[in-house]
Amino acid sequence: MIDSLYRRMTDLAASPKAVWWLIVIAMAEACVFPVPVDLMLIPMILTRQDRAWFLASVCTVASVVGGAIGWCLGAFLMEHIGMPIAHFYHADGRILALEEMFRRYGVWIILGKGLTPLPYKFVTLAAGAAHYPLLPFIAASIVTRGARFFLEAALLKAFGEPVRDFIEKRLTVILLILLVVIIAGIALVELV
């Protein structure tokens, strides 16, 4: 099923309405869709490297809007919509654990989890369920989602097609390295 979705997304990436599909998929991925939007963004950037920054911007904005929708689902409809989504992904416990982490660590959860392989939809639902303030949630989401999509755009713009396989296979490692750099920067700021 995932292979079929991947092929469908790469087909959409080549369509004349690709940017609109990118917006829809980025928004849906942030609150319900199972396939990462990166699988559409990557071929779009490879096809039109001159539009890499534009596509990363569109993807960031749409993902953050989708994240705000996920936050609302978690805040106001967790029992009726949020938990069924979590249950569909067998992530009930993960959502509850994230909700508790939001209460304790707030924005650091968004900054950290936004760069890891944990699906963003879980972060959005848990933030809403914890009633984490919406504006700081959106600000942190812009940082983490933007970092992810602009990093992909920069690598694809710089290295083109050869980096596609590298990104698709090692995106998690790249993002974890970025997370370590952010944590080290935060620790340095705390020490100074």
Side-chain angles (χ1 to χ4, degrees):
M1 180 176 93
I2 298 297
D3 287 337
S4 173
L5 278 172
Y6 175 73
R7 274 186 257 113
R8 178 70 179 134
M9 288 179 70
T10 55
D11 289 345
L12 290 174
S15 79
K17 296 183 181 185
V19 172
W20 293 109
W21 281 112
L22 180 66
I23 291 167
V24 168
I25 291 170
M27 287 176 63
E29 184 259 344
C31 51
V32 295
F33 196 58
V35 179
V37 69
D38 313 80
L39 299 179
M40 185 167 184
L41 179 63
I42 291 169
M44 287 179 72
I45 291 173
L46 287 173
T47 303
R48 293 287 311 268
Q49 290 184 13
D50 59 314
R51 298 184 74 196
W53 306 128
F54 169 75
L55 294 169
S57 298
V58 166
C59 199
T60 300
V61 170
S63 183
V64 172
V65 169
I69 293 168
W71 184 95
C72 290
L73 292 175
F76 305 115
L77 299 168
M78 189 63 177
E79 184 178 332
H80 302 293
I81 296 177
M83 284 312 285
I85 291 169
H87 185 70
F88 176 79
Y89 293 108
H90 306 288
D92 310 57
R94 190 177 294 171
I95 293 288
L96 295 173
L98 271 172
E99 186 179 337
E100 179 56 33
M101 290 174 75
F102 267 106
R103 289 191 179 99
R104 298 176 86 194
Y105 304 109
V107 74
W108 299 112
I109 298 303
I110 304 163
L111 291 173
K113 297 294 184 187
L115 296 171
T116 66
L118 180 73
Y120 181 55
K121 69 185 96 335
F122 299 157
V123 173
T124 68
L125 291 169
H131 295 282
Y132 185 77
L134 183 58
L135 290 179
F137 170 79
I138 289 172
S141 293
I142 290 169
V143 170
T144 59
R145 300 310 278 178
R148 177 184 184 123
F149 301 135
F150 279 90
L151 175 63
E152 287 176 15
L155 290 172
L156 290 166
K157 196 165 173 56
F159 301 107
E161 188 69 39
V163 84
R164 178 183 189 163
D165 288 334
F166 179 82
I167 288 176
E168 287 179 353
K169 292 177 184 172
R170 295 176 183 86
L171 180 61
T172 299
V173 173
I174 293 168
L175 294 174
L176 287 174
I177 290 169
L178 185 57
L179 176 63
V180 168
V181 169
I182 288 172
I183 290 172
I186 293 167
L188 186 61
V189 168
E190 293 291 324
L191 291 173
V192 173

